[in-house]
Amino acid sequence: QQPVQSPQAVILREGEDAVINCSSSKALYSVHWYRQKHGEAPVFLMILLKGGEQKGHEKISASFNEKKQQSSLYLTASQLSYSGTYFCGPATDSWGKLQFGAGTQVVVTP
Amino acid sequence: DAGVTQSPTHLIKTRGQQVTLRCSPKSGHDTVSWYQQALGQGPQFIFQYYEEEERQRGNFPDRFSGHQFPNYSSELNVNALLLGDSALYLCASSYYGDYGYTFGSGTRLTVV
């Protein structure tokens, strides 16, 4: 079953903050976050592992509540380059079979 | 450092035909996963290969099959193509499962 993401879309001005939420009905091992720009491949942002470990490539923060099977991605002081569709991909085991949600479209305007 | 390479980039096939898509993983990665992404939707997991074996499979029919070679590259085969198979097919590679995936740019398959 696919995770539920909210909001479906958000429009920000440069410098504003936003939170994207992801909720799963299954017990999770990890949560991945990716950003996809139009016509491009999804790009890895962060993985949050059960137990609290986080690994990311960009200055974007996230949280993972294992008990509630929820994760949130925090876009702080947004930049124009943050525009794109954000997908969460929860995984129920260490092999990382990801069930992506429908995505959250983020538009950052000048 | 080359990322994930997929070929071809675009493909048009007729309903009922068969198609093979190819993927070369990022250097150092040993696990390859395939995803189908319909327009406006998130990627849907097809299957995952590790050590030349299918480790996990999503809810896709047996018409979808794959293979992983000793050099970790992979193929996705789809038989008896349906119009509904038209989508972007993404290959993603990783090392084991505790690290993020690197996605290729995908193969855009159109079935007419």
Side-chain angles (χ1 to χ4, degrees):
Chain A
Q1 189 171 359
Q2 292 182 345
V4 177
Q5 277 187 242
S6 63
Q8 288 184 316
V10 60
I11 299 176
L12 302 166
R13 288 184 179 265
E14 268 187 297
E16 290 184 338
D17 302 337
V19 180
I20 301 172
N21 299 303
C22 174
S23 180
S24 174
S25 60
K26 299 181 179 180
L28 302 177
Y29 174 84
S30 66
V31 178
H32 294 226
W33 286 94
Y34 293 80
R35 178 174 62 215
Q36 186 175 30
K37 294 183 182 285
H38 183 69
E40 299 181 8
V43 173
F44 171 75
L45 296 176
M46 178 168 291
I47 179 173
L48 301 104
L49 298 166
K50 189 176 178 180
E53 187 177 3
Q54 296 184 20
K55 298 174 184 176
H57 296 307
E58 294 192 18
K59 295 179 181 179
I60 292 178
S61 62
S63 64
F64 178 24
N65 187 322
E66 299 168 31
K67 290 184 178 179
K68 293 186 176 180
Q69 296 133 40
Q70 294 175 345
S71 179
S72 295
L73 186 73
Y74 304 97
L75 304 180
T76 304
S78 58
Q79 306 171 17
L80 294 176
S81 62
Y82 286 9
S83 291
T85 301
Y86 288 76
F87 294 101
C88 72
T92 56
D93 58 43
S94 62
W95 285 99
K97 169 187 172 181
L98 305 180
Q99 298 287 358
F100 287 101
T104 296
Q105 186 175 9
V106 173
V107 175
V108 181
T109 62
Chain B
D1 179 22
V4 176
T5 304
Q6 289 187 245
S7 63
T9 54
H10 295 83
L11 203 53
I12 299 175
K13 288 287 189 177
T14 303
R15 189 173 47 184
Q17 285 188 317
Q18 178 265 345
V19 68
T20 297
L21 310 181
R22 294 177 175 82
C23 171
S24 293
K26 181 178 178 179
S27 177
H29 285 183
D30 57 3
T31 303
V32 173
S33 301
W34 286 91
Y35 288 83
Q36 181 195 66
Q37 186 174 27
L39 204 60
Q41 301 295 318
Q44 299 302 305
F45 178 80
I46 302 175
F47 43 54
Q48 182 184 75
Y49 278 86
Y50 173 72
E51 291 189 342
E52 301 179 53
E53 290 190 359
E54 183 181 290
R55 289 283 312 189
Q56 302 192 72
R57 189 177 183 91
N59 295 324
F60 280 80
D62 292 343
R63 298 187 296 110
F64 289 77
S65 64
H67 189 78
Q68 185 179 36
F69 300 94
N71 66 353
Y72 306 118
S73 67
S74 178
E75 287 182 349
L76 164 65
N77 300 293
V78 186
N79 294 323
L81 285 167
L82 303 174
L83 297 179
D85 293 333
S86 295
L88 179 67
Y89 288 85
L90 295 165
C91 171
S93 71
S94 64
Y95 178 73
Y96 186 37
D98 277 359
Y99 299 86
Y101 285 104
T102 299
F103 280 85
S105 297
T107 293
R108 173 70 64 185
L109 173 65
T110 303
V111 182
V112 298

